[in-house]
Structure formats: structure tokens, C-alpha cells
Amino acid sequence: MKNHRNYLKVTLDMFVIQLMWAFGVLGVLLIVQIFKLFFGNNTDQYYSAFFIIANIFTFVIGIIAIHFLPYYVENGVTRKDYFKGATLASIGLAIILPFLAWGISALTQLILQSISSLTFKEPNLDAMTNDGNLVGDIIQFLILTPYVNPENNLILSLGIFSLNILMYYLAGWLIGAAFYRYHTVIGLGFIAMTLAVLTLVNVLVRNTLNLPVLENYSFIDLPGNIAIPVIVLIALILIGSIRSITKDVTIKMH
């Protein structure tokens, strides 16, 4: 590859490949949603269903993102250009996936409601259950990220959705990079640290939006004018950590 703006080539490559993976998930979910209609007269909104799946999906492809590095280095791309391109690709995914989910959701509801009497259940993704089980609370908190119904505030809903996707992608990428560079024990340490960071971001966003927070995390109570800069700082720290790990990592050739 030529050295001139290699990062743009990386951006386009990774964005298109990962977007294709996303289309696969979106398509499977659409089939599942349609299939569920045959077993009842209502179903979840497509947007809210993908909202939950998107966090897991982007976390996984974030982990996989480190495995693009050997390919690019073998083809003459610097680690810096890989990092810049992968970062831009992750931002692009975070922006476009919520719009795709919302567009598919709006279109399917319009079509189905025009030809039938089907109804769609109102999502209740902010109902938190505090059962006193720390592990259960953490899992619940990581799955049920802050949600805003697009029918109430579309711009805010899409923005929160994008933030969730970006943070989970960066978290997965950091974990994948840590395991690629270091041994298993350090990698497990990064998992624990990253889960704590995602939980903190979750709490800060909920505080800003006045959404319910589990009692275990009620001590974290920052006003929006402080919470928002802290969230931005956390994102920058994740990005900086990924760069620090990958900038001189030994490439494992296959």
C-alpha cells in the first residue's frame, strides 16, 4: 500500500467489513421479529430489540478489531495508520447503526400496521431490579444500557445509542489488544477494568438523563455539566490506552 493516507484505506476497509457483519445481524433480527409475529399479536419494536443486541455485537467486533493489525502491517501499513483508521471506522459504525435500526424499525411498523392489526410493545428498558446479587446487578447494568424512546426524542435517542455502541466497541478493542500483547492474567485484568469503566459510563449517562440507577451505584451522582465531560474523558482514555498498547506491539504472523 502507498504511504499517503493509508489510514483512510484502513477506515474504509474496516468500516465496510464490519458494516457487512452488522447487516447480517440486522437481517437475522428482522427475520426473528417477523417470525415472532406468527406466534402472537404483538412483538417488540425492532429498534429496541437491536438496541440490546448492538452492545454485545459491537463489543465482540471490537475484540476482533485487533486481528486486522497483522494483515495491515504485512501490507505495509503502519501501526499508527491502523489505529487511526480503526478509530474512524468505529466512530462511523457508532453513527450509522442507530440510524439503520431506526429506519428499519419505522419502515417495518408502517408496513405491518397498514396491512394488519398488529401492535408493538412499548419497550421498558430502564426498569432496574436490585436483587442484591452483585454479579447479577453488573450483568443487568451492562445489558440494559441507558435508553431513550425515539418516539419521545429522536435526536437524543440516536445520540445515546451511538454513545453506547462506541463505548462498547472501544471496550472490546481494548480487551482484544490487551490479550494480543500481554499474557492471560493481564488480559483478565483489563476485562475487569473495562467492565468497571462501562458501568461507570452507564451510571453517568443515567444520572444525566435522570434514569433509574441501581442502589449499589447510587453513590455516583454527578450533575450533567460534570458527567458529560467525564464521559468524553473516559472515551479519550480508552482510545489513548488502545494506542499505547498497539503502537509498538509485536506482530504475530500466521
Side-chain angles (χ1 to χ4, degrees), residues 37 40-43 109-121:
L37 295 176
N41 59 2
N42 62 43
T43 187
Q109 286 190 57
L110 179 64
I111 293 174
L112 292 174
Q113 289 178 341
S114 66
I115 62 177
S116 68
S117 59
L118 293 172
T119 59
F120 293 85
K121 293 185 291 186

Side-chain angles (χ1 to χ4, degrees), residues 115-173:
I115 62 177
S116 68
S117 59
L118 293 172
T119 59
F120 293 85
K121 293 185 291 186
E122 288 292 330
N124 187 22
L125 300 183
D126 290 317
M128 309 297 294
T129 302
N130 191 349
D131 58 7
N133 185 320
L134 181 59
V135 175
D137 288 347
I138 292 174
I139 294 174
Q140 177 185 198
F141 217 55
L142 292 172
I143 293 176
L144 297 179
T145 51
Y147 175 82
V148 175
N149 193 321
E151 295 180 3
N152 297 333
N153 190 324
L154 179 58
I155 300 302
L156 180 59
S157 179
L158 294 173
I160 295 299
F161 200 166
S162 290
L163 175 63
N164 290 338
I165 287 175
L166 180 62
M167 296 303 297
Y168 274 73
Y169 187 105
L170 293 176
W173 190 11

Side-chain angles (χ1 to χ4, degrees), residues 66 69 73 78-83 177 181-182 239-251:
I66 189 62
L69 177 58
V73 171
T78 65
R79 292 164 178 78
K80 182 178 180 180
D81 280 340
Y82 154 79
F83 168 76
R181 175 160 187 165
Y182 305 114
I239 293 172
S241 299
I242 295 167
R243 172 57 179 157
S244 177
I245 292 174
T246 59
K247 69 178 180 180
D248 58 358
V249 64
T250 300
I251 301 301

Side-chain angles (χ1 to χ4, degrees), residues 128-130 133-142 195-204 206-207 211-222:
M128 309 297 294
T129 302
N130 191 349
N133 185 320
L134 181 59
V135 175
D137 288 347
I138 292 174
I139 294 174
Q140 177 185 198
F141 217 55
L142 292 172
L195 294 181
V197 168
L198 289 176
T199 300
L200 175 59
V201 172
N202 192 330
V203 174
L204 293 176
R206 287 179 176 276
N207 285 340
L211 297 175
V213 176
L214 290 175
E215 185 177 341
N216 291 336
Y217 310 115
S218 60
F219 67 94
I220 306 175
D221 188 11
L222 296 178

Side-chain angles (χ1 to χ4, degrees), residues 15 19 23 26 91-102 162 165:
F15 176 76
L19 185 60
F23 277 134
L26 289 163
I91 294 172
L93 285 173
I95 293 173
I96 196 170
L97 289 183
F99 279 97
L100 287 174
W102 173 72
S162 290
I165 287 175

